[in-house]
Amino acid sequence: GGLVNKLTFVKTMLWSNFNVETECLLDGTAGQILAMDVLSPMSSLKTTPMCITEDKRKQPYHSSIHRLVLIALSSERSSFAIAVEPSVSVLHRWPRPSNEQIGVSSFLSDVNTDQNRNSQQSSAPPAVFLPCLSWGWALVSGGENSVTPILARAWGCCVQLLRANFPLIEDTDDGKGSDTMVWPAFGVHDEFDATAPVVALEWLGDRSLAFLSMTNELVVVDTVMMTLNERLDFSGMKLVYAEFALSRSASSEESGNTSCVSTTFQNSIRSSEDRLLVLCQKEVKTLSILGIQQRVTALEELGEWLEALALALDHYEFTIKSQEDRKRNPDGSKDISSHPAFISRMRLTEDEEWIGDLLLRYLTLAVDNAPESTFDAKRPNRIDLAQSHYQMLAGVCIEFCVVTRRLDLLFSEIYQCFRNTGYTAVFLDVLEPYVLNDKLKYIAPDVMSEFIDHYKALGDISTVERCLLHMDVTIMNFDSIVSLLRKNFLFSALIHVYTQGLDDYLSPLEILFDAYFDAADLGVVERRDNPKVFNQPSS
């Protein structure tokens, strides 16, 4: 075994018969072929693949990519990337992972230990696991929306990605024109370990890789972010499988036996148009990946609002926030257009807009279904259900807006909603720890005014000063904040605003001495236990 040929059927003009031309791909020295897959042609793609250069420009690949037909073969020792068109050529030999990478021995020892502990008899796991191959046009991190050929290989518990790198037109300008065939280069793009040996592997779309493990789990992995998207239990599905008789060399190398039969599910799971087709013994099932908005909408319809909000936050952090470094100014300067007070829906992306709308729908639903107040002055220790409800609601809204950086939403519609319901104090109390923990660096001027009045009424004006020391005064309304601080005699915060916001150390000293001299002229002194109250000195 191991002999692989390319057969070309040619129809003759005279007798309408077919002739067969045979061309050798592998001569059998590599060993028995255990897996094979073919890369879909470029005509199946919706867009033309482009290369993203270091300066973020899109450049076309060499025209060779349009004529190339790639397949992948795997023996018991190596995997091969082979070109069958325009000519036969073995482009890359990919060695088999080491036994430590495959991790089958440790998995089998754990399985055998569990079987010995159980009294029930169960079938023994196979001693040899076949490699699984799957070609796909996939996205890569930093490649924007351009796809590139990637060969996924699973061998035991080891899953690896091999990327085919095509040269640019300008890199191959040798004066011979575009008719020259230029072969791609190959390199391992990424790899990860599965919890159990993989028995089937298939690309699902341009950024999702699905694989079936020996423990009947179908796992879907996002290959761009390298995160787990989904884990499904396939133990109830009776999948069609095939038994593969290994050659003497392959079976003896891994299991020590002279003959071995291994089971494969590779042809039982195939993808088509972003759908996964699963061949069962009595039916064919289809699985599709829902987009993030569809998944959030499904949770929303089920009433699982907190799960929907958490999923939206994960999407924001992995997609929108992860692109932040690319948008920063190289000189480190701040873009005034990103100021929280200037953000408008005209500048928001589609994702940012629907994420904000999701929070507003949750806020409306939570307010409409809020419990009645159970406060009883005669029983002050009794929990007020309405207050607890709005404390939870304020925490969810503030956390969501801080993470998604929608402070414009927080201090407009959301804050106004709490004012209309009469729970402004609850909102301001929940706001305080976010400022003190450096999660919130900005408060809108009108909210800041009520924030100061709230804590002034509580007799805890020092809290305001502590909060201001944690805020970014460079993006605050300087005139309004200075007026509030002088009005409430918050001199420590006033010094912080001048020194950090304007790099001015003289003006706060002048204000401080003026206030001190005015107090001395009036014949009052400042009490150290309450610096905001001035009393007549004792005689």
Side-chain angles (χ1 to χ4, degrees), residues 4-5 25 33-38 70-74 84 131-135 151 266-267 270:
V4 182
N5 291 324
L25 298 181
I33 301 303
L34 308 177
M36 174 183 175
D37 197 55
V38 181
L70 290 174
I71 68 170
L73 301 171
S74 187
V84 295
C132 302
L133 300 175
S134 180
W135 273 112
L151 174 62
Q266 184 62 38
N267 293 324
R270 290 298 181 187

Side-chain angles (χ1 to χ4, degrees), residues 61-358:
Y61 288 111
H62 192 269
S63 59
S64 300
I65 192 174
H66 298 274
R67 293 177 286 156
L68 188 64
V69 177
L70 290 174
I71 68 170
L73 301 171
S74 187
S75 67
E76 65 265 23
R77 296 190 298 269
S78 300
S79 302
F80 302 90
I82 302 176
V84 295
E85 293 291 344
S87 61
V88 174
S89 178
V90 178
L91 303 180
H92 184 73
R93 175 182 172 274
W94 194 7
R96 175 182 181 271
S98 63
N99 292 331
E100 291 77 13
Q101 288 179 295
I102 293 177
V104 172
S105 300
S106 59
F107 172 79
L108 293 178
S109 62
D110 294 339
V111 172
N112 293 331
T113 302
D114 293 338
Q115 289 181 352
N116 293 334
R117 292 176 180 174
N118 298 329
S119 58
Q120 297 179 353
Q121 296 293 329
S122 58
S123 59
V128 179
F129 295 93
L130 302 177
C132 302
L133 300 175
S134 180
W135 273 112
W137 293 91
L139 299 172
V140 295
S141 179
E144 296 186 3
N145 59 347
S146 183
V147 295
T148 186
I150 292 184
L151 174 62
R153 181 181 72 177
W155 211 321
C157 299
C158 181
V159 182
Q160 299 172 303
L161 304 178
L162 183 74
R163 181 178 178 180
N165 297 295
F166 289 87
L168 303 177
I169 292 180
E170 58 186 23
D171 295 338
T172 57
D173 189 9
D174 52 4
K176 297 181 180 179
S178 59
D179 294 335
T180 304
M181 188 63 200
V182 180
W183 303 113
F186 293 84
V188 176
H189 176 65
D190 214 330
E191 63 180 66
F192 59 91
D193 294 329
T195 57
V198 178
V199 295
L201 182 73
E202 191 72 13
W203 282 98
L204 182 56
D206 53 12
R207 63 178 299 158
S208 298
L209 183 67
F211 61 87
L212 179 68
S213 68
M214 184 185 168
T215 55
N216 293 317
E217 283 187 334
L218 182 74
V219 180
V220 181
V221 176
D222 186 328
T223 56
V224 177
M225 305 304 301
M226 279 299 164
T227 55
L228 176 66
N229 276 352
E230 194 64 69
R231 189 192 301 270
L232 301 175
D233 183 11
F234 267 34
S235 57
M237 297 187 184
K238 297 182 179 180
L239 300 182
V240 174
Y241 64 91
E243 292 183 341
F244 200 93
L246 298 179
S247 64
R248 183 172 301 178
S249 60
S251 60
S252 60
E253 180 179 345
E254 296 193 36
S255 64
N257 300 327
T258 57
S259 63
C260 183
V261 176
S262 187
T263 302
T264 177
F265 292 85
Q266 184 62 38
N267 293 324
S268 303
I269 299 178
R270 290 298 181 187
S271 63
S272 175
E273 297 180 352
D274 295 340
R275 294 182 305 168
L276 207 61
L277 305 178
V278 182
L279 180 60
C280 303
Q281 296 180 10
K282 294 185 179 180
E283 59 184 344
V284 176
K285 295 183 178 292
T286 62
L287 288 84
S288 301
I289 290 185
L290 297 178
I292 183 63
Q293 294 191 37
Q294 293 173 303
R295 295 166 64 188
V296 170
T297 301
L299 291 173
E300 185 179 343
E301 292 175 351
L302 294 174
E304 299 178 359
W305 282 93
L306 295 182
E307 290 80 359
L309 291 171
L311 182 60
L313 282 183
D314 290 341
H315 171 71
Y316 177 86
E317 291 183 331
F318 285 125
T319 57
I320 302 175
K321 193 174 180 180
S322 62
Q323 306 298 324
E324 176 187 342
D325 290 339
R326 302 179 188 176
K327 299 179 181 180
R328 289 180 178 173
N329 294 332
D331 57 356
S333 60
K334 294 184 178 180
D335 184 7
I336 192 64
S337 64
S338 62
H339 189 284
F342 299 149
I343 295 178
S344 65
R345 285 184 175 265
M346 297 298 294
R347 296 185 58 251
L348 296 175
T349 64
E350 181 181 354
D351 281 346
E352 291 173 319
E353 188 169 344
W354 74 259
I355 287 176
D357 292 339
L358 172 68

